């Protein structure tokens, strides 16, 4: 189902009241950011079979074949994937949320491509699956950006 401005505003107000931060945040901007993010990722989450937020992983790997990573030995690699989705047609997707203020998609991709490649490897090894898509959702650009392998 679609989410609404008033529904998101109620949640934001409830959280801000509970945390006593009402004077410190611009609720309208937060609601706008959430709605923009939802519109960008809804094709993956509306009919998803599985959605996991903050999916933790720990693997032992040398990360060979990942450009930008040079390990000469096996190492423990740990991290947290912001959102992991299994679509209704069994595609495994990783979405990483970024708040960086940037001018272009390219800037984000250059900054985070290695991180997403490590996440992809880790999830594939930890869960014995194949990840078909890695994405950055940029709150600064209000855009979902595909990151190539």
């Amino acid at each position: 189902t679609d989410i609404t401005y008033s529904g998101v505003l109620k949640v934001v107000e409830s959280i801000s009241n509970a945390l006593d931060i009402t004077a410190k945040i611009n609720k309208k901007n937060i609601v706008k950011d959430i709605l923009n993010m939802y519109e960008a990722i809804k094709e993956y989450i509306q009919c998803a079979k599985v959605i996991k937020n903050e999916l933790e992983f720990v693997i032992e790997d040398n990360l060979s074949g990942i450009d930008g990573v040079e390990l000469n030995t096996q190492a423990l690699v740990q991290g947290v994937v912001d959102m992991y989705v299994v679509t209704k047609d069994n595609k495994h997707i990783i979405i990483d949320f970024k708040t960086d203020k940037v001018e272009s998609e390219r800037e984000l991709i250059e900054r985070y491509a290695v991180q997403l490649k490590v996440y992809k490897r880790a999830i594939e090894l930890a869960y014995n699956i194949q990840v078909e898509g890695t994405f950055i959702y940029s709150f600064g650009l209000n855009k979902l950006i595909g990151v190539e392998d």
Side-chain angles (χ1 to χ4, degrees):
T1 63
D2 282 335
I3 61 175
T4 64
Y5 181 90
S6 61
V8 173
L9 182 58
K10 284 180 187 176
V11 172
V12 169
E13 286 175 344
S14 175
I15 292 169
S16 65
N17 289 336
L19 298 176
D20 197 27
I21 56 174
T22 53
K24 299 175 187 170
I25 63 171
N26 184 329
K27 293 178 202 157
K28 288 181 181 178
N29 285 344
I30 291 172
V31 171
K32 181 182 67 111
D33 288 345
I34 291 169
L35 290 171
N36 287 337
M37 181 266 304
Y38 175 75
E39 281 300 314
I41 69 172
K42 77 178 181 182
E43 74 176 278
Y44 296 109
I45 64 172
Q46 273 188 329
C47 299
K49 291 171 37 176
V50 175
I51 299 173
K52 293 189 179 193
N53 295 308
E54 305 278 319
L55 179 63
E56 296 179 8
F57 63 83
V58 177
I59 61 164
E60 186 173 354
D61 193 48
N62 65 7
L63 303 177
S64 67
I66 296 179
D67 292 337
V69 177
E70 293 183 30
L71 293 177
N72 295 325
T73 185
Q74 294 284 100
L76 279 180
V77 180
Q78 67 179 29
V80 180
V81 171
D82 290 339
M83 182 177 280
Y84 166 74
V85 177
V86 180
T87 65
K88 65 181 175 184
D89 52 349
N90 288 320
K91 291 187 177 173
H92 299 260
I93 306 295
I94 292 171
I95 301 173
D96 200 45
F97 298 101
K98 299 298 182 192
T99 58
D100 304 43
K101 302 290 185 220
V102 294
E103 297 295 320
S104 70
E105 294 177 24
R106 174 68 27 217
E107 195 175 341
L108 278 175
I109 291 169
E110 288 173 1
R111 198 175 289 176
Y112 295 108
V114 171
Q115 177 188 355
L116 283 164
K117 289 175 185 179
V118 170
Y119 283 5
K120 179 180 182 209
R121 168 80 61 84
I123 296 303
E124 289 178 342
L125 290 174
Y127 297 98
N128 196 29
I129 53 95
Q130 171 135 8
V131 173
E132 287 87 2
T134 55
F135 299 89
I136 294 170
Y137 178 78
S138 168
F139 283 95
L141 298 174
N142 293 318
K143 193 170 196 180
L144 187 66
I145 303 160
V147 178
E148 301 290 322
D149 288 340

